Amino acid sequence: MAIACVAVISKENFPLCVWSPLSNTEADVSLQFLVHTCIDVIEEKVSQVSSKAGDPREHYLGLLYPSEEYKIYGYATNSRMKFIIVTENISSQPKDQEIKQLFKLLHAAYVKMFSNPFYTPGQKIDSRWFKQELSNIYEQSKSVLLKE
């Protein structure tokens, strides 16, 4: 297994969804702690990108925080929504392009879920459809992230 946790963070910096493939529900406390610690790193990187004359369409923030057990990657949208993917720290490092593709799938799933007229923006994401999409992204990631 490569992905340990996926998080969707609101523009006000609180988690709307923290999902783990192990339990298929809420991620355990240690993973939630890692997600919360990365919110400040994301804010710092977003402010650096916005102050530079870089490509404003580039949402991928790269590796936010490596630890002994996990590597944490970030992605921020133009609307200040943030996505975090926590992967297990394995010997073969995935390429940035592979991680970017996972974030694009996650962003597309979020946009589709957000378009649901029954979803209230800013509320916790409890959609079974969205959690199934996260499971699908996880399954796709296994072939990408676990290449030998």
Side-chain angles (χ1 to χ4, degrees):
M1 181 184 86
I3 291 181
C5 176
V6 175
V8 178
I9 311 296
S10 73
K11 60 184 175 183
E12 292 85 15
N13 290 333
F14 62 87
L16 298 177
C17 177
V18 180
W19 178 86
S20 175
L22 295 175
S23 61
N24 207 7
T25 58
E26 291 294 311
D28 69 340
V29 175
S30 64
L31 290 172
Q32 287 187 25
F33 177 74
L34 287 173
V35 166
H36 281 281
T37 59
C38 286
I39 292 173
D40 291 333
V41 177
I42 289 175
E43 286 298 315
E44 184 177 315
K45 284 195 174 211
V46 167
S47 67
Q48 288 175 356
V49 168
S50 62
S51 66
K52 292 180 183 175
D55 185 1
R57 295 171 295 169
E58 181 58 48
H59 303 293
Y60 178 66
L61 300 174
L63 182 65
L64 301 175
Y65 180 79
S67 71
E68 288 184 25
E69 294 180 48
Y70 302 106
K71 291 194 183 292
I72 304 158
Y73 298 90
Y75 183 95
T77 68
N78 290 337
S79 62
R80 299 180 44 96
M81 291 297 295
K82 298 148 203 86
F83 302 109
I84 295 173
I85 294 179
V86 180
T87 64
E88 290 180 348
N89 195 356
I90 54 177
S91 59
S92 62
Q93 180 71 16
K95 296 177 184 168
D96 274 351
Q97 194 60 34
E98 296 165 340
I99 300 293
K100 283 181 187 180
Q101 184 61 33
L102 294 176
F103 276 118
K104 287 180 182 181
L105 292 171
L106 178 58
H107 190 182
Y110 174 76
V111 167
K112 191 169 182 178
M113 187 274 315
F114 189 82
S115 300
N116 181 346
F118 298 108
Y119 174 69
T120 305
Q123 295 297 313
K124 185 175 178 180
I125 300 172
D126 289 324
S127 167
R128 281 184 282 162
W129 177 87
F130 187 71
K131 303 269 169 92
Q132 182 59 46
E133 283 298 304
L134 293 178
S135 294
N136 294 342
I137 292 169
Y138 167 72
E139 291 300 322
Q140 290 176 346
S141 77
K142 288 199 287 190
S143 63
V144 171
L145 298 177
L146 293 179
K147 286 192 266 186
E148 297 290 335

